[in-house]
Amino acid sequence: MKKLILDVDTGVDDAQAIMMALAASNVEILAITCTHGNTPLQNSLKNTLRVLKVCNRLDIKVYAGFEEPLLGHKISAGEFHGKDGLGDAPDAEAPGLELVQKTNAVEAIISITKQNPGQVTLVSTGPLTNLALSVKMDPCLPARLKDIYIMGGNIESRGNTTVCGEFNFLADPEAAYIVLERYTCPTTIASWEFSCRNSLPWSFCDTWLAQNTPKAHFMETIYAHTRKMVQTDRYQKEMVSGFGFNTCDAYAVAAAINDDVVLESEKVAVTVELEGKYTRGMMVLDYIDALDKEHKVNILKRMDLEVFKQLLMNALK
């Protein structure tokens, strides 16, 4: 069994990623920790509980992390995911926040990894605030992790929020910098450009949502707003290639839970730009060893889309 901690800012794509992990028979989710990002922290917590409820997995513990970046201004993706993060689709029977654990996310990450040394895969699909503060509180944390998977950053300076900034890294650049400096365990990154180049046809999305299950009905409802947004000309101009269904966060989860899904990757040292007027939050790839960093991360390049499609289909069964 792969033991996962999911660190999320639950919007629609996080919901898709969480449901993919929940459906995998070889995965045990030890905890879900929430942060700011797509939507304010309180919404992220509510949304995570909504996803767990529809999947009949409210037994999984949910922890509140931090509600703002280490420095700078808080941003959100309300226009993209809906103000509540899940398409502004009301749910009168949504679980209450009394189900959230009293322990905070940082304490939970530290404690769970101490209980499972060398066994935990940490998957981040939101801003990296919780992870940065965890390693500041416990510098030995990375040595206890099996590995870490991150959805975020960019590899060709293509931004989706600013000219050169990808949302998750731009939402807390200092946290992204700390994580890429301090987490020296095996690290895999699913970048913005990677997700674009491995997007799926909209015809698949139609088939995916047409499954006659409560999970599929839930996804169709919460995804309606985002789908309308991503099919606009403006959004398609942001995508690196093609006109397709791009479930960003699910790529990192797929790589974490299925060893057969990644077909091509490369190892390279990286850092994050913190000061540039146009490039703050941009991930920098060092192909000439100018940074003199021993630790190199695994940058995803190409995915087996048939395996990925099956993981998505399973998520809504």
Side-chain angles (χ1 to χ4, degrees):
M1 297 290 287
K2 293 177 179 285
K3 296 185 177 184
L4 269 58
I5 296 176
L6 303 180
D7 188 70
V8 299
D9 60 335
T10 302
V12 174
D13 53 349
D14 300 82
Q16 294 162 352
I18 293 168
M19 294 172 80
M20 176 184 285
L22 289 171
S25 60
N26 64 323
V27 169
E28 178 186 4
I29 299 178
L30 301 179
I32 300 179
T33 55
C34 296
T35 187
H36 67 95
N38 284 327
T39 190
L41 175 63
Q42 295 301 301
N43 287 346
S44 177
L45 291 162
K46 292 176 185 176
N47 296 345
T48 300
L49 292 169
R50 284 180 66 183
V51 172
L52 292 177
K53 180 183 177 184
V54 78
C55 295
N56 296 313
R57 290 304 310 273
L58 282 171
D59 58 296
I60 294 176
K61 293 181 179 179
V62 176
Y63 299 85
F66 287 81
E67 60 184 3
E68 59 186 19
L70 301 180
L71 294 172
H73 300 289
K74 184 163 56 173
I75 63 175
S76 72
E79 178 184 1
F80 187 78
H81 289 292
K83 292 181 180 179
D84 73 347
L86 291 187
D88 295 322
D91 183 357
E93 298 181 358
L97 290 179
E98 69 276 2
L99 297 181
V100 175
Q101 301 298 305
K102 303 303 180 186
T103 304
N104 70 49
V106 167
E107 293 173 325
I109 291 170
I110 292 171
S111 175
I112 292 169
T113 56
K114 284 182 177 178
Q115 295 167 22
N116 302 273
Q119 301 178 62
V120 176
T121 293
L122 184 53
V123 185
S124 172
T125 60
L128 292 160
T129 311
N130 289 340
L131 275 62
L133 289 168
S134 294
V135 75
K136 294 291 280 184
M137 289 293 293
D138 183 356
C140 295
L141 168 63
R144 295 196 302 273
L145 288 170
K146 179 182 178 183
D147 45 22
I148 179 173
Y149 287 77
I150 297 169
M151 191 284 136
N154 45 10
I155 56 177
E156 297 170 359
S157 73
R158 296 172 183 261
N160 60 12
T161 306
T162 59
V163 175
C164 294
E166 178 276 329
F167 180 86
N168 282 346
F169 277 27
L170 189 68
D172 196 338
E174 281 72 23
Y177 178 87
I178 290 169
V179 168
L180 295 181
E181 290 293 315
R182 302 287 294 276
Y183 281 77
T184 54
C185 55
T187 303
T188 298
I189 296 179
S191 70
W192 164 242
E193 295 94 334
F194 167 77
S195 68
C196 290
R197 288 206 170 94
N198 288 271
S199 61
L200 300 171
W202 284 111
S203 57
F204 168 78
C205 183
D206 293 334
T207 301
W208 181 57
L209 295 175
Q211 298 181 84
N212 189 21
T213 67
K215 295 177 187 178
H217 298 323
F218 171 76
M219 183 55 62
E220 184 176 29
T221 300
I222 66 171
Y223 189 49
H225 173 86
T226 303
R227 180 168 183 174
K228 182 177 179 180
M229 284 293 302
V230 300
Q231 290 184 322
T232 62
D233 290 340
R234 192 193 82 179
Y235 177 80
Q236 291 302 316
K237 288 178 181 178
E238 294 177 0
M239 292 188 67
V240 176
S241 61
F243 182 80
F245 168 49
N246 179 0
T247 171
C248 300
D249 293 340
Y251 293 97
V253 168
I257 67 177
N258 190 307
D259 298 333
D260 297 326
V261 75
V262 176
L263 296 179
E264 183 182 353
S265 62
E266 66 175 344
K267 288 191 177 296
V268 61
V270 299
T271 189
V272 177
E273 174 59 44
L274 299 179
E275 299 178 6
K277 179 179 179 179
Y278 299 109
T279 58
R280 175 169 162 79
M282 184 181 79
M283 186 165 69
V284 178
L285 280 65
D286 178 19
Y287 286 108
I288 62 172
D289 291 327
L291 298 175
D292 194 27
K293 291 180 70 172
E294 182 177 345
H295 179 60
K296 293 178 170 55
V297 305
N298 198 35
I299 302 289
L300 298 183
K301 305 288 282 188
R302 191 163 58 94
M303 179 166 280
D304 187 326
L305 294 182
E306 293 307 312
V307 175
F308 184 58
K309 286 178 183 178
Q310 192 57 58
L311 291 171
L312 283 170
M313 292 297 289
N314 292 345
L316 301 188
K317 285 184 177 178

